[in-house]
Every structure is written in C-alpha cells, then in structure tokens.
Amino acid sequence: MLIIPAIDLKDGQCVRLKQGLMDEATVFSNSPGEQARHWLAQGARRLHVVDLNGAFAGKPKNESAIKEIVKAVGDDIPVQLGGGIRDLDTIERCLDDGVSYVIIGTAAVKNPGFLHDACGAFPGHIIVGLDAKDGKVAVDGWSKLTGHDVIDLAKKYEDYGVEGIIYTDIGRDGMLSGINIEATVKLAQALIIPVIASGGLSNIEDIRKLCAVEFEGITATIAGRAIYDGSLDFATAQAEADRSTQR
C-alpha cells in the first residue's frame, strides 16, 4: 500500500485545513518545491497536490507552485493534482506541465458528460475524488451536500474508465480522528478499480488497519495533517505498509 503525502496549496504556500475550511489554514511551508523534495527524500512514491484556491474558484490558481513541485521531483515519482479542474483544456495544460494524474471532483458530479469526455481524451490519467458524509457526496469545496449515493456514482465513473477513486470522509479530514475504514471498504468492495483512502489518517495504527483490508482493493492512503504535525512519521508508515504487503 502506498502512503501518499499531501501538499495542499493556498496562495502559493503549503497549508493544511480543518474540515475544508479556508480560514482554518495552518501554513507548513512557504516553498512547495522544497516540501516536495522533503517527501521524496523520505521515500514517497507519489505526491497528492491540491490547489485549494482553485477548488473554490473553479479554475487553477496555483500553477506556478504546481510547476515548482513537478520540477522538484522530476521523473522520480508521479504527481496527482486536484482543485478547480473543470474542463478539458485545463486537464491538457496540467498534463503538459508534468502532472501524471488529474483528480476531478465537483465537476464529475455536476457534469458527468465532462468526466466521460475526459476519460476518453486522457485515458489512464483521470482519477475521481469523491468527498462524502454519511454516504452522501459533497461538492464545491465540501460546502454543499448532494443526495447522490457514493457507491452508485463510483460505479458509474468506473464504467466511464476512470483510473481510480479517492474517497474522503469529510467529517474526519484534518481532524486526526481516524480513517473511516468501514465506509472505505464498502466502496472498494463494490468496485474493480482501486480506491485511495483519505480523511482522518492519524497514526500508525490507522496504517495497520488499512493494510489489513488492502486486499479489498484499497491500494493507497493520503497522509496530510498527521505527517506534518508529527503524530505519524511518514517513513515509518511506508515501511510498515511495505512489511504488511510482504507478509
């Protein structure tokens, strides 16, 4: 299982939010490229980058910082990017900038035709981010809950040809309250494509719990606040995940 460090960008800085609230941002670094090199040196095999300003604005706002991150890691590891990606031209620009995977969130829910077209135009590069609370999908930077069921939508997106699903329990994200294992497993069992767990990862015990259900189709987890505030050591977490896979 991959442990994927998150780099959340706000106004060109690396930050973490609590439950997606922009005014609850903690700045961890003023240099996105330096932060990316740090995780690469720690053994990261993929980076998860979110343009927070872009997510709220509906179009990318931190392009220079994203380019800095891609340049910092070079061809060593892939970068997956989300936040404000709502049209094919934006996807093409992101991929041209060196991003390996583009994450479509709100636009996938509001405009499924766009997602379908994106999967056709850029096969192998499209991941859907599904943010949910109590099994219902949220959109627009988590500000609106919809009536859509997570599993029903994910199955539809799988048929479109998406590369995987990032599932975030928005009630837990940034709160260090533990991954919602039960809901993540339920989603993974309903799909063939990989599921990446997100939201609430807090300590090494969460890693062990996820590794125990990896066989269900949960291939990775995104680590955010826990690896920044020290409650989870990234290198130790990845080593633990690797050992679990080898058992």
Side-chain angles (χ1 to χ4, degrees):
M1 177 176 291
L2 280 186
I3 316 299
I4 308 175
I7 299 178
D8 289 359
L9 300 171
K10 180 187 177 189
D11 305 330
Q13 298 176 311
C14 303
V15 305
R16 290 302 295 165
L17 305 185
K18 283 187 178 179
Q19 294 188 307
L21 299 173
M22 286 290 269
D23 57 356
E24 291 281 338
T26 302
V27 177
F28 284 99
S29 173
N30 292 313
S31 173
E34 191 176 297
Q35 191 64 63
R37 281 188 291 273
H38 168 76
W39 295 126
L40 180 63
Q42 290 285 308
R45 295 171 207 159
R46 186 186 290 200
L47 291 179
H48 175 78
V49 179
V50 178
D51 182 340
L52 294 171
N53 301 103
F56 283 86
K59 58 183 178 180
K61 292 289 186 178
N62 284 282
E63 195 167 0
S64 61
I66 292 160
K67 287 181 178 179
E68 189 182 327
I69 289 168
V70 171
K71 183 179 179 182
V73 299
D75 296 325
D76 291 327
I77 59 173
V79 173
Q80 59 189 42
L81 171 69
I85 297 168
R86 313 243 167 119
D87 59 64
L88 296 178
D89 287 343
T90 300
I91 295 174
E92 186 170 26
R93 192 163 73 248
C94 291
L95 296 176
D96 286 346
D97 286 345
V99 169
S100 298
Y101 302 100
V102 167
I103 303 160
I104 300 175
T106 292
V109 182
K110 289 188 168 183
N111 187 0
F114 159 60
L115 178 65
H116 189 273
D117 291 345
C119 289
F122 307 103
H125 295 283
I126 307 300
I127 295 172
V128 167
L130 283 178
D131 306 326
K133 188 173 184 180
D134 301 325
K136 299 301 181 183
V137 174
V139 295
D140 293 331
W142 304 353
S143 62
K144 297 174 188 170
L145 269 180
T146 72
H148 294 294
D149 179 80
V150 171
I151 291 176
D152 290 346
L153 272 188
K155 282 182 172 179
K156 182 166 77 170
Y157 300 157
E158 181 174 68
D159 290 342
Y160 288 175
V162 301
E163 191 71 7
I165 301 286
I166 297 173
Y167 175 67
T168 304
D169 183 324
I170 64 174
R172 301 191 183 209
D173 187 79
M175 301 303 288
L176 303 179
S177 55
I179 292 272
N180 189 332
I181 301 279
E182 184 182 354
T184 308
V185 166
K186 190 177 176 185
L187 177 62
Q189 287 173 334
L191 303 172
I192 297 169
I193 56 174
V195 171
I196 298 173
S198 174
L201 185 73
S202 58
N203 53 43
I204 198 72
E205 191 56 37
D206 286 334
I207 300 296
R208 295 187 182 114
K209 288 176 182 175
L210 280 170
C211 288
V213 294
E214 183 178 7
F215 68 93
E216 299 283 9
I218 302 168
T219 61
T221 184
I222 294 167
R225 181 170 288 274
I227 57 172
Y228 286 96
D229 74 6
S231 59
L232 179 68
D233 179 77
F234 172 78
T236 302
Q238 186 61 71
E240 176 69 23
D242 290 343
R243 279 193 298 274
S244 296
T245 302
Q246 291 161 7
R247 288 183 190 128

